[in-house]
Amino acid sequence: MIHIKKIPERPSQEEIDAIAKFSPATLHEAQGRRGALSSRIKPVDYRMKLCGPAFTVKSAPRDNIMLQLAINYAKPGDIIVVSGGEYEEAGSFGDVLANACVAKGIGGLVTDTGVRDTLQLRDLGFPVFSLSVCIKGTVKETLTAVNDPIVIGGELVYPGDIIVGDADGVVVVRRQEAKDVAALSQAREDAEAGYIAAYKAGKSVIEVSNLEPVLKAKGFVVEE
């Protein structure tokens, strides 16, 4: 018997908003270079962004019945995250299901399988991040799990974790770490703003990054 589980504990809107201020790259670096999904998972349009709690789904390869159940039971703002076995040769999601998501207020889709109807998805503006684009159809046969921990893009994702995506890729932030990661991300952005200001003031990369002692220790010599 398959049970449709709820997300056990959702992040607050305050926690989501705090994380949404930062790019996936900044969040990845700020939390100790953790959480980045495989670089093969990218948006179907570079302008697409998403941020929200993970509604996790395990699906069989070339089968989208569990994805359709997830769309039915997900809440507004949820990011549906599908672990489909890294199967590229299937178009498990397209414009019809995207319209179902928009009608429900779902925040986006991240999947390690393929999607199709990308022109329509771009026009619709629903954020879709996928491993591939593929026109091949799927079946609706195998019932698996909803809102259990899954592995996608080499990362473990728990239901309720915060998923953030932009043109560069996708990162997962643990719900219980959201406030700390937001603070660390702000500190990183403040530091980077200082680096940029220093460059504009005429300082070199070696000065700003304090590379001189590192280069000296490695025996770096500049010939005059």
Side-chain angles (χ1 to χ4, degrees):
M1 182 178 293
I2 302 297
H3 295 276
I4 300 295
K5 302 175 184 177
K6 297 179 180 179
I7 294 177
E9 191 168 359
R10 291 175 176 273
S12 68
Q13 191 59 51
E14 179 183 6
E15 289 170 327
I16 294 170
D17 291 344
I19 290 297
K21 296 176 183 177
F22 306 104
S23 70
T26 294
L27 294 163
H28 166 65
E29 295 283 1
Q31 60 183 351
R33 296 184 176 175
R34 295 183 294 122
L37 273 59
S38 168
S39 61
R40 296 166 63 201
I41 297 176
K42 288 291 194 294
V44 299
D45 188 303
Y46 73 92
R47 295 166 294 187
M48 290 177 173
K49 296 181 179 182
L50 55 74
C51 181
F55 188 102
T56 61
V57 185
K58 177 79 171 177
S59 71
R62 205 173 64 83
D63 190 324
N64 78 345
I65 189 170
M66 294 308 298
L67 171 55
Q68 296 208 32
L69 288 176
I71 294 169
N72 189 75
Y73 290 103
K75 302 295 184 184
D78 284 351
I79 308 300
I80 296 175
V81 185
V82 184
S83 175
E86 296 187 350
Y87 190 83
E88 297 182 54
E89 294 299 313
S92 62
F93 182 90
D95 65 328
V96 174
L97 290 180
N99 275 280
C101 290
V102 170
K104 287 203 64 177
I106 292 169
L109 171 76
V110 178
T111 179
D112 68 354
T113 184
V115 300
R116 59 189 184 185
D117 305 326
T118 55
L119 288 177
Q120 293 91 333
L121 294 178
R122 290 168 188 152
D123 289 342
L124 189 62
F126 179 72
V128 176
F129 290 65
S130 68
L131 187 65
S132 69
V133 174
C134 181
I135 63 173
K136 296 178 182 179
T138 56
V139 298
K140 299 170 180 62
E141 293 181 357
T142 306
L143 297 181
T144 54
V146 171
N147 281 330
D148 278 343
I150 61 171
V151 175
I152 178 172
E155 288 292 327
L156 181 63
V157 177
Y158 293 93
D161 283 348
I162 301 175
I163 304 296
V164 187
D166 69 8
D168 292 337
V170 183
V171 70
V172 55
V173 177
R174 298 281 178 253
R175 182 202 58 77
Q176 62 270 26
E177 298 177 7
K179 290 183 179 178
D180 289 341
V181 172
L184 290 168
S185 296
Q186 187 61 61
R188 182 177 178 84
E189 286 206 342
D190 292 343
E192 289 181 345
Y195 301 152
I196 292 170
Y199 292 141
K200 290 181 177 179
K203 289 191 175 182
S204 71
V205 172
I206 290 177
E207 289 177 297
V208 172
S209 298
N210 194 29
L211 292 177
E212 188 170 344
V214 176
L215 296 172
K216 184 177 180 181
K218 293 179 179 295
F220 179 79
V221 176
V222 178
E223 294 184 1
E224 298 295 340

